[in-house]
Amino acid sequence: MQKPREYTVIGLMSGTSLDGIDAALIRTDGADSLTHLGFITIPYADSVRDALRACLGRRVDNDGTVARAEALMTMAHADAVRALLAQTGVDAADVDLIGFHGQTIMHDAPGGFTWQIGDGDLLARETGIDVINDFRTNDVKHGGQGAPLIPLYHRAMAASSGLDLPVAILNIGGVANVTWIGADGRLSAFDTGPGNAIINDWTRQQTGAEFDQDGQLAKSGTFHNGLVRGWLGHQYFRVAPPKSLDRDAWHIIGDLVGMSAADGAATLTRFTVESIAAARDHLPEAPKAWYVAGGGRLNPVIMDGLRDVLGVPVHSIDALGWNGDAVEAEGFAWLAVRSLLGQPLSVPETTGCKIAVSGGRLHPAPGKTMRVG
């Protein structure tokens, strides 16, 4: 039997924390084969971050704000590709494909709407590499939540790591999401609730810093248990998965009026921790361990809180030899190959789509011919 072709792919991820661009270079067949070739993180310039922040929550672009931000962030992604290629010594002509997640500015799965901005044609022209973007729309069209999309990649990675299943792979970005992987390969996945975004917003409002570095602000405060318990009464936590959230689903910062910056950070951080713990009620079976990816794993207050409330081992995903910063970017590189081959990106167990569906839109680079299969 002929071995499936492997592709050299760049994955680009910019999460709802608005911190910057993760760019990963891998070689993969979009299934079991995966070689890590390089990774880089490029922080957003303040001008790009501010332009993107002005787009959050929009469903239409009636004044050109989104178009201007899209051009800026696409060019920033092109720069990230060039930086990654320079770091790895790989020529753009040797890269088959870019998986370009784009920047989510609005996600309303119950309303059948999701919007990740990013100009695939512009990125293909700038880099000379074929681009696939718009990964979520087709899932939503088929009744899915459009998120999370990385669980199939998590399962492939877990299989290669020989984990003692069942386990939970937790990603704490702007929003937190979990992938539960059973001993038989069964999956369950959903957004658990807030991640870093609301903590970042509070920290920025109170101190001017973009995020709570090492959880120092939260560590110096005391959380308000009554507020946390009240927020956990939100109906979202009672809804069975699949389910997903927009970055700005939680309008609760107003509840912190009169609270110190440190106590507010501590309270929001504890809410993230407790909402992740609440997700256990919706998992098919208790995980033997939790492995944490994303920026949240670098916050000791979050990690120590999770160890306190989950009652099983909680590790950074780096303990498996994975790069916890790169997982999402690598995942979209892997998904880009699957999109090119017409293979599923999501299944009913991960997003609630009616059937397993592929997705994504291909933007060919000028003058380049892709060989598929």
Side-chain angles (χ1 to χ4, degrees):
M1 185 174 178
Q2 187 175 4
K3 184 179 179 181
R5 181 192 165 189
E6 293 186 335
Y7 298 81
T8 302
V9 196
I10 291 173
L12 299 172
M13 181 66 194
S14 46
T16 53
S17 296
L18 299 179
D19 47 359
I21 302 163
D22 296 329
L25 180 67
I26 66 173
R27 187 157 181 81
T28 182
D29 60 1
D32 304 321
S33 172
L34 177 67
T35 304
H36 309 271
L37 301 176
F39 173 74
I40 195 169
T41 294
I42 306 292
Y44 274 137
D46 289 344
S47 58
V48 178
R49 187 180 293 113
D50 290 345
L52 291 171
R53 192 172 280 118
C55 298
L56 296 176
R58 290 180 178 243
R59 294 172 181 263
V60 296
D61 186 25
N62 50 15
D63 59 3
T65 295
V66 175
R68 288 189 291 272
E70 183 173 58
L72 283 172
M73 62 84 65
T74 301
M75 292 303 293
H77 279 72
D79 289 341
V81 169
R82 287 187 276 266
L84 178 63
L85 293 176
Q87 182 193 79
T88 56
V90 174
D91 192 279
D94 296 323
V95 179
D96 295 300
L97 196 60
I98 293 173
F100 180 26
H101 173 268
Q103 186 72 55
T104 299
I105 61 170
M106 180 63 190
H107 184 73
D108 175 19
F113 183 86
T114 189
W115 194 1
Q116 290 74 46
I117 63 172
D119 188 332
D121 282 333
L122 175 59
L123 186 61
R125 291 197 305 271
E126 283 290 320
T127 62
I129 304 169
D130 292 351
V131 172
I132 290 180
N133 70 346
D134 193 19
F135 287 90
R136 302 184 189 274
T137 299
N138 197 44
D139 180 82
V140 172
K141 284 181 179 177
H142 285 82
Q145 293 284 314
L149 284 189
I150 302 298
L152 292 179
Y153 179 68
H154 286 160
R155 182 169 65 185
M157 291 285 285
S160 69
S161 299
L163 294 180
D164 186 16
L165 304 173
V167 298
I169 308 294
L170 176 67
N171 180 71
I172 308 177
V175 172
N177 59 72
V178 66
T179 300
W180 177 91
I181 307 168
D184 57 358
R186 191 162 45 117
L187 290 173
S188 178
F190 54 96
D191 287 348
T192 62
N196 301 318
I198 198 165
I199 304 168
N200 294 354
D201 290 349
W202 170 259
T203 302
R204 182 172 179 270
Q205 175 185 310
Q206 296 294 311
T207 72
E210 289 296 334
F211 64 99
D212 184 9
Q213 179 78 45
D214 298 324
Q216 289 297 320
L217 189 61
K219 190 181 297 184
S220 66
T222 302
F223 70 85
H224 191 298
N225 191 56
L227 282 178
V228 173
R229 292 299 132 196
W231 296 336
L232 289 169
H234 193 284
Q235 64 177 359
Y236 181 81
F237 300 112
R238 297 191 295 274
V239 173
K243 55 183 179 177
S244 63
L245 287 164
D246 183 63
R247 174 199 193 279
D248 293 329
W250 308 102
H251 301 287
I252 57 176
I253 284 182
D255 295 345
L256 305 178
V257 171
M259 193 174 289
S260 71
D263 288 353
T267 302
L268 293 170
T269 301
R270 190 67 184 187
F271 181 36
T272 289
V273 168
E274 294 284 356
S275 62
I276 291 167
R280 291 176 298 179
D281 294 340
H282 300 298
L283 299 179
E285 186 181 345
K288 294 181 179 179
W290 292 63
Y291 293 91
V292 187
R297 83 193 194 289
L298 304 177
N299 184 324
V301 180
I302 291 178
M303 293 297 284
D304 289 345
L306 291 173
R307 293 182 179 111
D308 286 342
V309 300
L310 291 176
V312 296
V314 176
H315 306 286
S316 167
I317 208 165
D318 301 76
L320 300 176
W322 304 7
N323 182 332
D325 292 322
V327 172
E328 294 268 302
E330 290 176 352
F332 279 99
W334 188 82
L335 289 174
V337 172
R338 295 181 69 82
S339 173
L340 185 71
L341 300 176
Q343 296 173 348
L345 310 188
S346 53
V347 295
E349 296 83 0
T350 62
T351 67
C353 52
K354 293 182 176 65
I355 56 172
V357 293
S358 192
R361 289 193 300 139
L362 175 63
H363 304 267
K368 187 171 182 179
T369 302
M370 167 65 75
R371 180 175 66 85
V372 179

